[in-house]
Amino acid sequence: QVQLVESGGGLVQAGGSLRLSCLASGRAFSSYSMGWFRQAPGKAREWVGTITNNGGSTAYIDSVKGRFTISRDNAKNTVYLQMNNLKPEDTAAYYCGAASPLYSGRLPTSSVNYWGQGTQVTVSS
C-alpha cells in the first residue's frame, strides 16, 4: 500500500507562486505515474497534470500550461507542483494520486490507485 501526504498549500495573492509537495510512504514509488488533481466546492475533482514514473514526460490541463510545473525526486519519494502566476480560479483543494506507469497524459480519476488527503490553495484577488 502507498500512503501520500500533500503539503505546501496556503493563502497567496493573485500573481504569486506556491510549491506543493506530495510525500509517498511505501514501496516502489518510482513505479508509479503521479498526478495532481484539484477540487473546488460544488465541483468534480479535476485533473491538473501528470508526471511519468521516471520523470521523463509531463502533461497538463490547458488552463495551467505555462504556469504550473510538475517534477519528482524519486530518491526522496516526493513529487512537486510548482504553481506560478496563480489566479483566483486556481483556488481549490489539491490532491496527488498514484497511478499505473502505463498512464501518461490526462489521468481519469478512476485510474488513481492511491490518493493523498489534500491541501488547500486559496488565491486572493
Side-chain angles (χ1 to χ4, degrees), residues 5 24 41 65 85 94 103 119 125:
V5 179
K65 288 180 179 177
N85 192 24
Y94 282 72
Y103 286 95
T119 186
S125 60

Side-chain angles (χ1 to χ4, degrees), residues 65-108:
K65 288 180 179 177
R67 299 190 297 119
F68 290 11
T69 303
I70 299 174
S71 61
R72 68 191 294 164
D73 186 340
N74 286 344
K76 296 181 178 179
N77 282 7
T78 303
V79 63
Y80 305 95
L81 181 64
Q82 178 67 46
M83 303 183 292
N84 297 326
N85 192 24
L86 282 161
K87 304 176 183 296
E89 54 262 41
D90 296 318
T91 295
Y94 282 72
Y95 301 85
C96 62
S100 167
L102 296 176
Y103 286 95
S104 62
R106 183 176 182 180
L107 292 180

Side-chain angles (χ1 to χ4, degrees), residues 1-5 22-29 77:
Q1 184 175 3
V2 176
Q3 293 180 312
L4 305 172
V5 179
C22 174
L23 176 65
S25 297
R27 62 184 181 88
F29 171 74
N77 282 7

